[in-house]
Coordinates of all heavy atoms in Angstrom, one line a residue:
P40 N 27.4 61.7 -4.1 CA 27.8 61.9 -5.7 C 29.1 61.1 -5.9 O 29.8 60.6 -5.0 CB 28.1 63.4 -5.6 CG 28.3 63.8 -4.2 CD 27.6 62.8 -3.3
S41 N 29.4 60.9 -7.2 CA 30.5 60.1 -7.6 C 31.7 60.9 -7.4 O 31.9 62.2 -7.5 CB 30.4 59.5 -9.0 OG 30.3 60.6 -9.7
M42 N 32.9 60.1 -7.0 CA 34.3 60.8 -6.9 C 35.2 60.2 -7.9 O 35.1 59.0 -8.1 CB 34.7 60.5 -5.5 CG 34.2 61.4 -4.5 SD 35.3 61.1 -2.9 CE 34.5 59.8 -2.1
D43 N 35.9 61.0 -8.6 CA 36.8 60.4 -9.6 C 38.0 59.7 -9.0 O 38.5 60.1 -7.9 CB 37.2 61.4 -10.7 CG 38.3 62.3 -10.6 OD1 39.4 61.7 -10.3 OD2 38.2 63.4 -10.5
P44 N 38.5 58.7 -9.6 CA 39.5 57.9 -9.1 C 40.8 58.7 -8.7 O 41.6 58.4 -7.8 CB 39.8 56.8 -10.0 CG 39.1 57.0 -11.4 CD 38.1 58.1 -10.9
F45 N 41.2 59.7 -9.5 CA 42.3 60.5 -9.4 C 42.3 61.2 -8.0 O 43.2 61.4 -7.2 CB 42.6 61.4 -10.5 CG 42.5 60.7 -11.8 CD1 41.4 60.8 -12.6 CD2 43.6 59.9 -12.2 CE1 41.4 60.0 -13.9 CE2 43.6 59.2 -13.3 CZ 42.5 59.3 -14.2
Y46 N 41.0 61.8 -7.7 CA 40.8 62.6 -6.5 C 41.0 61.6 -5.3 O 41.5 61.9 -4.4 CB 39.4 63.2 -6.6 CG 39.0 63.9 -5.3 CD1 39.6 65.0 -4.8 CD2 37.9 63.3 -4.5 CE1 39.3 65.7 -3.6 CE2 37.7 64.0 -3.4 CZ 38.3 65.2 -2.9 OH 38.0 65.8 -1.9
I47 N 40.5 60.3 -5.5 CA 40.4 59.4 -4.4 C 41.8 59.1 -4.1 O 42.3 59.0 -2.9 CB 39.7 58.0 -4.8 CG1 38.2 58.4 -4.9 CG2 39.9 57.0 -3.8 CD1 37.3 57.3 -5.4
I48 N 42.7 58.8 -5.2 CA 44.1 58.5 -4.8 C 44.9 59.7 -4.0 O 45.5 59.4 -3.1 CB 44.8 58.2 -6.1 CG1 44.4 56.9 -6.7 CG2 46.4 58.2 -5.9 CD1 44.7 56.6 -8.1
R49 N 44.5 60.9 -4.6 CA 45.4 61.9 -3.9 C 45.0 62.1 -2.5 O 45.8 62.2 -1.5 CB 45.1 63.2 -4.6 CG 45.7 63.5 -6.1 CD 45.6 64.8 -6.6 NE 44.4 65.0 -7.1 CZ 44.1 64.9 -8.2 NH1 44.8 64.3 -9.2 NH2 42.8 65.0 -8.6
K50 N 43.7 61.8 -2.2 CA 43.1 62.0 -0.9 C 43.6 60.8 0.0 O 44.2 60.9 1.1 CB 41.6 61.8 -1.0 CG 40.8 62.3 0.1 CD 40.9 63.8 0.5 CE 40.7 64.0 1.9 NZ 40.6 65.4 2.3
L51 N 43.7 59.5 -0.6 CA 44.2 58.4 0.3 C 45.7 58.6 0.6 O 46.3 58.4 1.7 CB 44.0 57.1 -0.6 CG 42.5 56.6 -0.7 CD1 42.5 55.3 -1.6 CD2 41.9 56.3 0.7
G52 N 46.4 59.2 -0.4 CA 47.9 59.5 -0.2 C 48.0 60.4 0.9 O 49.0 60.2 1.7
S53 N 47.3 61.4 0.9 CA 47.4 62.5 2.0 C 47.0 61.8 3.4 O 47.5 62.3 4.4 CB 46.7 63.7 1.6 OG 45.2 63.3 2.1
L54 N 46.3 60.6 3.4 CA 46.0 60.2 4.8 C 46.9 59.0 5.1 O 46.7 58.3 6.1 CB 44.5 59.5 4.6 CG 43.4 60.6 4.4 CD1 42.1 59.9 4.1 CD2 43.3 61.6 5.6
G55 N 48.0 58.9 4.5 CA 49.0 57.8 4.8 C 48.9 56.5 4.2 O 49.5 55.5 4.7
V56 N 48.0 56.4 3.2 CA 47.7 55.0 2.6 C 48.9 54.7 1.7 O 49.3 55.6 0.9 CB 46.4 54.9 1.9 CG1 46.2 53.7 1.2 CG2 45.2 55.2 2.8
W57 N 49.4 53.5 1.7 CA 50.5 52.9 0.9 C 50.2 52.6 -0.5 O 50.8 52.9 -1.5 CB 51.1 51.8 1.7 CG 52.0 50.9 0.7 CD1 53.4 51.1 0.5 CD2 51.7 49.7 0.3 NE1 53.8 50.1 -0.2 CE2 52.9 49.1 -0.4 CE3 50.5 48.8 0.3 CZ2 52.9 47.9 -1.0 CZ3 50.5 47.6 -0.5 CH2 51.8 47.1 -1.0
G58 N 49.0 51.9 -0.6 CA 48.7 51.3 -2.0 C 47.2 51.4 -2.3 O 46.3 51.6 -1.4
I59 N 46.9 51.1 -3.5 CA 45.5 51.0 -3.9 C 45.4 49.8 -4.7 O 46.3 49.2 -5.3 CB 44.9 52.3 -4.9 CG1 45.8 52.3 -6.0 CG2 44.8 53.4 -3.9 CD1 45.4 51.7 -7.2
S60 N 44.2 49.2 -4.8 CA 43.7 48.1 -5.8 C 42.6 48.7 -6.7 O 42.0 49.6 -6.2 CB 43.3 46.9 -5.0 OG 44.3 46.2 -4.6
L61 N 42.6 48.1 -7.9 CA 41.4 48.7 -8.7 C 41.1 47.6 -9.7 O 41.9 46.7 -10.1 CB 41.9 50.0 -9.6 CG 42.7 49.8 -10.8 CD1 42.7 51.1 -11.5 CD2 44.0 49.3 -10.5
H62 N 39.7 47.6 -10.0 CA 39.2 47.0 -11.1 C 39.5 47.7 -12.4 O 39.6 48.9 -12.4 CB 37.7 46.7 -11.1 CG 37.1 46.0 -9.9 ND1 36.8 46.7 -8.7 CD2 37.1 44.7 -9.7 CE1 36.5 45.8 -7.8 NE2 36.5 44.6 -8.4
D63 N 39.6 47.0 -13.6 CA 39.6 47.7 -14.8 C 38.6 48.8 -14.9 O 38.9 49.9 -15.4 CB 39.6 46.6 -16.1 CG 38.3 45.7 -15.9 OD1 37.7 45.8 -14.9 OD2 38.1 44.9 -16.7
N64 N 37.5 48.5 -14.6 CA 36.4 49.6 -14.9 C 36.2 50.6 -13.8 O 35.3 51.4 -13.7 CB 35.0 48.8 -15.0 CG 35.0 47.8 -16.4 OD1 34.6 46.7 -16.2 ND2 35.7 48.3 -17.5
D65 N 37.0 50.4 -12.6 CA 37.0 51.5 -11.8 C 37.7 52.7 -12.4 O 37.6 53.9 -12.0 CB 37.9 51.3 -10.5 CG 37.2 50.0 -9.7 OD1 36.1 49.8 -9.7 OD2 37.9 49.3 -8.9
L66 N 38.5 52.5 -13.4 CA 39.2 53.5 -14.1 C 38.9 53.7 -15.5 O 38.6 54.8 -16.1 CB 40.8 53.2 -14.1 CG 41.7 54.2 -14.8 CD1 41.7 55.5 -14.2 CD2 43.2 53.6 -14.9
I67 N 38.6 52.6 -16.3 CA 38.3 52.6 -17.7 C 37.0 52.2 -18.0 O 36.5 51.0 -17.7 CB 39.3 51.8 -18.5 CG1 40.8 52.1 -18.0 CG2 39.2 51.8 -19.8 CD1 41.7 51.0 -18.3
P68 N 36.0 53.0 -18.5 CA 34.7 52.6 -18.7 C 34.7 51.4 -19.7 O 35.7 51.2 -20.6 CB 34.1 53.8 -19.5 CG 34.8 54.9 -19.0 CD 36.2 54.5 -18.8
I69 N 33.7 50.4 -19.6 CA 33.8 49.1 -20.3 C 33.8 49.3 -21.9 O 34.3 48.6 -22.6 CB 32.6 48.3 -19.9 CG1 32.8 46.8 -20.3 CG2 31.3 48.8 -20.2 CD1 32.0 45.8 -19.5
D70 N 33.2 50.6 -22.3 CA 33.2 50.8 -23.7 C 34.1 52.0 -24.1 O 34.0 52.5 -25.3 CB 31.8 51.2 -24.1 CG 31.3 52.4 -23.3 OD1 32.1 52.9 -22.3 OD2 30.1 52.8 -23.4
A71 N 35.2 52.1 -23.3 CA 36.2 53.2 -23.6 C 37.0 52.8 -25.0 O 37.1 51.6 -25.4 CB 37.1 53.4 -22.6
S72 N 37.4 53.8 -25.7 CA 38.2 53.5 -27.0 C 39.7 53.2 -26.4 O 39.9 53.5 -25.3 CB 38.2 54.8 -27.8 OG 39.0 55.8 -27.1
A73 N 40.4 52.8 -27.4 CA 41.9 52.4 -27.0 C 42.5 53.8 -26.5 O 43.3 53.7 -25.7 CB 42.7 51.7 -28.2
A74 N 42.3 54.9 -27.2 CA 43.0 56.1 -26.9 C 42.7 56.6 -25.6 O 43.5 57.1 -24.8 CB 42.7 57.1 -28.0
E75 N 41.3 56.4 -25.2 CA 40.8 56.8 -23.9 C 41.5 56.0 -22.9 O 41.9 56.5 -21.8 CB 39.3 56.6 -24.0 CG 38.5 56.9 -22.6 CD 38.4 58.4 -22.3 OE1 39.1 59.2 -23.0 OE2 37.6 58.7 -21.4
R76 N 41.5 54.7 -23.1 CA 42.1 53.7 -22.1 C 43.6 54.2 -21.8 O 44.0 54.3 -20.7 CB 42.1 52.3 -22.7 CG 42.9 51.3 -21.9 CD 43.9 50.7 -22.8 NE 44.6 49.6 -22.1 CZ 45.9 49.7 -21.6 NH1 46.7 50.8 -21.9 NH2 46.5 48.6 -21.1
D77 N 44.4 54.5 -22.9 CA 45.7 54.8 -22.7 C 45.9 56.1 -22.0 O 46.8 56.2 -21.1 CB 46.5 55.0 -24.1 CG 46.7 53.7 -24.8 OD1 46.3 52.6 -24.2 OD2 46.9 53.7 -25.9
R78 N 45.0 57.1 -22.2 CA 45.1 58.4 -21.5 C 44.8 58.2 -20.1 O 45.5 58.6 -19.2 CB 44.1 59.3 -22.2 CG 44.3 60.7 -21.6 CD 42.9 61.6 -22.0 NE 41.7 61.2 -21.5 CZ 41.3 61.4 -20.3 NH1 42.1 62.1 -19.4 NH2 40.0 61.0 -19.9
L79 N 43.7 57.4 -19.7 CA 43.4 57.2 -18.3 C 44.6 56.5 -17.5 O 44.9 56.7 -16.5 CB 42.1 56.5 -18.3 CG 40.9 57.2 -18.6 CD1 39.6 56.3 -18.9 CD2 40.5 58.3 -17.6
V80 N 45.1 55.4 -18.3 CA 46.1 54.6 -17.5 C 47.3 55.5 -17.3 O 47.9 55.5 -16.2 CB 46.5 53.4 -18.5 CG1 47.7 52.6 -17.7 CG2 45.2 52.4 -18.4
S81 N 47.7 56.3 -18.3 CA 49.0 57.1 -18.1 C 48.6 58.2 -17.0 O 49.6 58.4 -16.1 CB 49.7 57.6 -19.3 OG 48.9 58.8 -19.9
E82 N 47.4 58.8 -17.0 CA 47.2 59.7 -15.9 C 47.2 59.1 -14.5 O 47.6 59.7 -13.5 CB 45.8 60.5 -16.3 CG 45.7 61.7 -15.4 CD 44.2 62.4 -15.7 OE1 43.7 62.3 -16.7 OE2 43.8 63.0 -14.7
F83 N 46.6 57.9 -14.4 CA 46.5 57.2 -13.2 C 48.0 56.9 -12.7 O 48.2 57.1 -11.5 CB 45.8 55.8 -13.4 CG 45.3 55.2 -12.2 CD1 44.0 55.6 -11.6 CD2 46.1 54.2 -11.5 CE1 43.6 55.1 -10.5 CE2 45.6 53.6 -10.4 CZ 44.3 54.0 -9.8
R84 N 48.8 56.5 -13.7 CA 50.2 56.1 -13.1 C 50.8 57.4 -12.6 O 51.6 57.3 -11.7 CB 51.0 55.6 -14.4 CG 52.0 54.7 -14.0 CD 52.5 53.8 -15.0 NE 53.2 54.7 -16.0 CZ 53.6 54.1 -17.2 NH1 53.5 52.9 -17.5 NH2 54.2 55.0 -18.1
K85 N 50.7 58.5 -13.3 CA 51.2 59.7 -12.8 C 50.7 60.2 -11.5 O 51.5 60.5 -10.6 CB 51.0 60.8 -13.9 CG 51.7 62.1 -13.6 CD 51.8 63.1 -14.7 CE 52.5 64.3 -14.4 NZ 52.2 64.9 -13.1
T86 N 49.4 60.0 -11.4 CA 48.7 60.4 -10.0 C 49.2 59.6 -8.9 O 49.6 60.2 -7.9 CB 47.1 60.3 -10.2 OG1 46.8 61.0 -11.4 CG2 46.6 61.0 -9.0
L87 N 49.4 58.3 -9.2 CA 49.9 57.5 -8.2 C 51.4 57.9 -7.8 O 51.7 57.9 -6.6 CB 50.0 55.9 -8.6 CG 48.8 55.1 -8.3 CD1 49.1 53.6 -8.9 CD2 48.6 55.0 -6.8
A88 N 52.2 58.0 -8.7 CA 53.6 58.3 -8.5 C 53.8 59.7 -7.7 O 54.5 59.8 -6.7 CB 54.3 58.4 -9.8
D89 N 52.9 60.7 -8.3 CA 52.9 62.0 -7.4 C 52.5 61.9 -6.0 O 53.0 62.5 -5.2 CB 52.0 63.0 -8.2 CG 52.5 63.4 -9.6 OD1 53.7 63.0 -9.9 OD2 51.7 64.0 -10.4
A90 N 51.5 60.9 -5.7 CA 51.1 60.7 -4.4 C 52.1 59.9 -3.6 O 51.8 59.6 -2.4 CB 49.6 60.1 -4.4
G91 N 53.1 59.3 -4.2 CA 54.0 58.4 -3.6 C 53.4 57.1 -3.2 O 53.8 56.4 -2.2
M92 N 52.5 56.5 -4.0 CA 51.7 55.4 -3.8 C 52.0 54.2 -4.8 O 52.5 54.6 -5.9 CB 50.2 55.6 -3.7 CG 49.9 56.5 -2.5 SD 48.3 57.1 -2.6 CE 47.3 55.5 -2.1
V93 N 51.7 53.2 -4.5 CA 51.7 52.0 -5.4 C 50.4 51.3 -5.8 O 49.5 51.5 -5.0 CB 52.8 51.0 -4.9 CG1 54.0 51.4 -4.5 CG2 52.0 50.2 -3.6
T94 N 50.5 50.4 -6.8 CA 49.2 49.7 -7.1 C 49.6 48.4 -6.4 O 50.5 47.5 -6.8 CB 49.1 49.4 -8.6 OG1 49.1 50.7 -9.2 CG2 47.9 48.6 -8.9
A95 N 48.7 48.0 -5.4 CA 49.0 46.8 -4.6 C 48.4 45.6 -5.4 O 49.1 44.4 -5.4 CB 48.2 46.8 -3.2
A96 N 47.2 45.8 -6.1 CA 46.7 44.7 -6.8 C 45.7 45.3 -7.9 O 45.2 46.4 -7.7 CB 45.9 43.7 -6.0
A97 N 45.6 44.5 -9.0 CA 44.6 45.0 -10.0 C 43.7 43.7 -10.1 O 43.9 42.6 -9.7 CB 45.3 45.2 -11.4
T98 N 42.5 44.0 -10.7 CA 41.4 43.1 -11.0 C 40.6 43.3 -12.1 O 40.6 44.3 -12.6 CB 40.8 42.6 -9.6 OG1 39.9 41.5 -9.8 CG2 40.0 43.8 -9.1
T99 N 39.7 42.3 -12.5 CA 38.8 42.6 -13.6 C 37.4 42.6 -12.9 O 37.0 41.8 -12.1 CB 38.7 41.4 -14.4 OG1 39.9 40.8 -14.5 CG2 38.1 41.8 -15.8
N100 N 36.6 43.6 -13.4 CA 35.1 43.5 -13.0 C 34.5 42.6 -14.0 O 34.2 42.9 -15.2 CB 34.5 45.1 -13.1 CG 33.1 45.0 -12.5 OD1 32.3 44.0 -12.8 ND2 32.8 46.1 -11.9
M101 N 34.1 41.4 -13.4 CA 33.4 40.4 -14.2 C 32.1 40.1 -13.4 O 31.5 38.9 -13.4 CB 34.2 39.1 -14.2 CG 35.4 39.2 -15.1 SD 35.6 37.6 -16.1 CE 35.9 36.6 -14.9
F102 N 31.4 41.2 -12.8 CA 30.2 41.0 -12.3 C 29.1 42.0 -12.6 O 27.9 41.8 -12.4 CB 30.4 40.8 -10.7 CG 31.3 41.9 -10.1 CD1 30.9 43.3 -9.8 CD2 32.7 41.7 -10.0 CE1 31.7 44.2 -9.2 CE2 33.4 42.8 -9.5 CZ 33.0 44.0 -9.1
Y103 N 29.5 43.2 -13.0 CA 28.6 44.2 -13.0 C 27.7 44.2 -14.3 O 26.5 44.4 -14.3 CB 29.2 45.6 -13.0 CG 28.3 46.9 -12.8 CD1 27.9 47.1 -11.5 CD2 27.9 47.6 -13.8 CE1 27.0 48.1 -11.2 CE2 27.0 48.6 -13.6 CZ 26.6 48.9 -12.3 OH 25.7 49.9 -12.2
D104 N 28.4 44.0 -15.4 CA 27.8 44.0 -16.8 C 26.8 42.8 -16.9 O 27.3 41.8 -16.5 CB 28.8 44.1 -17.9 CG 28.1 44.4 -19.2 OD1 27.6 43.5 -19.8 OD2 28.0 45.7 -19.5
P105 N 25.5 43.1 -17.4 CA 24.6 41.9 -17.7 C 25.2 40.7 -18.4 O 24.8 39.7 -18.3 CB 23.6 42.6 -18.4 CG 23.5 44.1 -18.2 CD 25.1 44.4 -18.0
V106 N 26.2 41.0 -19.3 CA 26.7 39.9 -20.0 C 27.3 38.8 -19.0 O 27.3 37.7 -19.3 CB 28.0 40.3 -20.9 CG1 29.2 40.7 -20.2 CG2 28.3 39.2 -22.0
F107 N 27.7 39.2 -17.8 CA 28.1 38.2 -16.8 C 27.1 37.7 -15.9 O 27.3 37.2 -14.9 CB 29.3 38.8 -15.8 CG 30.4 39.2 -16.7 CD1 30.8 40.7 -16.7 CD2 31.2 38.3 -17.4 CE1 31.8 41.0 -17.5 CE2 32.2 38.8 -18.2 CZ 32.6 40.2 -18.2
K108 N 25.8 37.8 -16.3 CA 24.6 37.4 -15.4 C 24.7 35.9 -14.9 O 24.3 35.6 -14.1 CB 23.3 37.8 -16.0 CG 23.0 37.1 -17.2 CD 21.7 37.8 -17.9 CE 21.4 36.9 -19.3 NZ 20.3 37.7 -20.0
D109 N 25.3 35.1 -15.9 CA 25.4 33.6 -15.5 C 26.8 33.3 -15.4 O 27.3 32.1 -15.5 CB 24.7 32.8 -16.5 CG 24.4 31.4 -16.1 OD1 24.4 31.2 -14.8 OD2 24.2 30.5 -16.8
G110 N 27.7 34.2 -14.9 CA 29.1 33.9 -14.8 C 30.0 34.5 -15.9 O 29.4 34.7 -17.0
G111 N 31.3 34.2 -15.8 CA 32.3 34.7 -16.8 C 32.9 33.3 -17.2 O 32.5 32.7 -18.3
F112 N 33.9 32.9 -16.4 CA 34.6 31.6 -16.8 C 33.7 30.4 -16.8 O 34.0 29.4 -17.4 CB 35.8 31.3 -15.8 CG 36.8 32.4 -15.8 CD1 37.6 32.6 -14.6 CD2 37.1 33.3 -16.9 CE1 38.5 33.6 -14.5 CE2 38.0 34.2 -16.8 CZ 38.8 34.4 -15.6
T113 N 32.6 30.6 -16.1 CA 31.7 29.3 -16.0 C 30.3 29.6 -16.6 O 29.5 28.7 -16.3 CB 31.5 28.9 -14.4 OG1 30.8 30.0 -13.7 CG2 32.9 28.6 -13.8
S114 N 30.2 30.6 -17.4 CA 29.0 30.8 -18.1 C 28.9 29.5 -19.2 O 29.9 28.9 -19.6 CB 29.1 32.0 -19.0 OG 28.1 32.0 -20.0

Side-chain angles (χ1 to χ4, degrees):
S41 58
M42 277 195 272
D43 86 59
F45 307 103
Y46 176 70
I47 290 174
I48 287 169
R49 285 191 289 269
K50 197 71 200 184
L51 289 176
S53 74
L54 295 173
V56 177
W57 160 81
I59 55 92
S60 285
L61 82 168
H62 298 94
D63 46 0
N64 305 133
D65 293 339
L66 176 65
I67 308 160
I69 197 165
D70 53 1
S72 68
E75 177 74 343
R76 173 237 182 250
D77 290 350
R78 187 188 67 74
L79 287 166
V80 172
S81 75
E82 194 181 334
F83 197 86
R84 210 166 59 188
K85 183 169 182 318
T86 311
L87 265 183
D89 290 349
M92 295 170 76
V93 302
T94 308
T98 183
T99 326
N100 186 324
M101 288 221 298
F102 44 89
Y103 194 80
D104 194 277
V106 72
F107 299 120
K108 64 189 176 189
D109 199 21
F112 300 152
T113 64
S114 164

